[in-house]
Amino acid sequence: MLDYRYQTFLTLTEEMNYTTTAKRLHITQPAVTQHIQSLQQELGVELIHYEKRQLSLTAKGKQLQKDLYLLQREIAKVEEQLTSTVEHNTLVFGASLTIGEYMMPGLIESYLNQYPAHDISMVTDNTQHLIELMEHGKIDFAFVEGEFNQSVFEFQKIGEEPFIAVCSEKSSLWKQEQSINDLFSTPLLVREEGSGSRLIFETAIKSKGIHLDSFSKVMMIGSIGATKKLVEKNLGISFIYQRAVEAELNKGILKKIPLSDFNVIHPFYLIYLKRIQVRGMETMKNFLKVAESN
């Protein structure tokens, strides 16, 4: 169990209101204030800043919040291991959408064939949200294709994939090689902000002095499946991992646009926080071995 003041602090960071925090913890509002003040005095840092009737977390407060979420998860795992009469391993991890949809099913099948008694819990989300889940202790590690802070995370490359432009078979864009500049008049379908593939695309075109605004029309689509359907209907083009459209390319309903000045191959990584030891490290390593052998 965490010190009661830390529990109060975490609840306050979620509610950002002293009154609702007190109600949630079934204590008085002055007690909440006293817990926070006592914690700040003991640590010698300001954690909560109050100005113009607004609460905000300081940099130290944000760091403590992240560390406490992780510590809570570690404590819960220890308690579970101590009280459980049956030893079993559970993988709790995340995968960015492309990896989760197009790589993980085969990897999970291979893993469970080797370790049938193990449990698996996988969250699929964009890279930014997966990083937040790791920082909050909700998942232990993640497979991502997006950018991440390498000073904060341990990482291991698990593969790489071409990142290509695709259009409908009904379009003429795939019939001859051209420059990315020749695509500006064509509607562009992109993923939501926070998506790893969108960041990769924006980074790649930025190096060429190109911005999303260079395209005449940009539509944000949060689903890979919906993006592919819209491209298939010739409502725009998209830049996407080749593996995500492999089936459609083989059927001929989507076509790769040959570009003379866009050649991007991006790695996929397994990442986890450096400052916290991942529970079940051996289990994670076993999963990684399966990933490397596929």
Side-chain angles (χ1 to χ4, degrees), residues 69 88 144-145 224 238:
Y69 276 130
H88 76 261
V144 301
E145 78 259 18
I224 298 172
S238 189

Side-chain angles (χ1 to χ4, degrees), residues 4 22 30 32 67 128 187 197 218 231 239-241 247 252 258 263 265 267 293:
Y4 66 91
V32 173
D67 288 340
Q128 181 178 312
S197 57
V218 177
V231 173
F239 288 76
I240 196 166
Y241 283 106
N263 182 26
I265 298 177
S293 64

Side-chain angles (χ1 to χ4, degrees), residues 30-177:
V32 173
T33 303
Q34 184 181 22
H35 291 178
I36 300 303
Q37 288 177 345
S38 172
L39 191 59
Q40 291 183 135
Q41 288 171 3
E42 181 175 305
L43 297 175
V45 295
E46 183 185 31
L47 302 170
I48 303 287
H49 185 68
Y50 185 74
E51 185 175 359
K52 296 180 180 178
R53 304 183 71 178
Q54 288 289 329
L55 289 181
S56 62
L57 284 176
T58 65
K60 292 288 186 181
K62 290 177 181 178
Q63 186 61 61
L64 180 61
Q65 180 196 42
K66 291 178 182 179
D67 288 340
L68 287 177
Y69 276 130
L70 294 169
L71 184 57
Q72 266 192 332
R73 186 82 182 276
E74 295 292 332
I75 292 171
K77 186 64 177 180
V78 169
E79 291 174 344
E80 178 187 335
Q81 290 174 339
L82 289 174
T83 57
S84 176
T85 57
V86 179
E87 181 180 350
H88 76 261
N89 294 300
T90 302
L91 279 168
V92 183
F93 67 96
S96 54
L97 297 180
T98 302
I99 297 176
E101 288 189 37
Y102 302 100
M103 290 181 64
M104 282 299 125
L107 293 181
I108 290 173
E109 180 185 11
S110 297
Y111 181 82
L112 291 178
N113 284 337
Q114 292 188 45
Y115 305 97
H118 290 191
D119 294 332
I120 285 181
S121 178
M122 181 183 77
V123 176
T124 55
D125 211 324
N126 66 45
T127 299
Q128 181 178 312
H129 288 156
L130 291 176
I131 286 173
E132 291 174 0
L133 289 174
M134 274 189 286
E135 291 176 337
H136 287 181
K138 303 297 184 183
I139 58 176
D140 297 324
F141 59 93
F143 294 93
V144 301
E145 78 259 18
E147 304 296 330
F148 58 91
N149 188 338
Q150 295 187 1
S151 68
V152 174
F153 292 94
E154 296 284 0
F155 60 93
Q156 185 161 339
K157 181 179 173 181
I158 61 168
E160 58 185 21
E161 190 72 21
F163 194 71
I164 63 173
V166 293
C167 66
S168 169
E169 63 173 334
K170 302 169 188 174
S171 171
S172 61
L173 292 174
W174 60 274
K175 296 180 179 179
Q176 62 181 18
E177 187 176 74

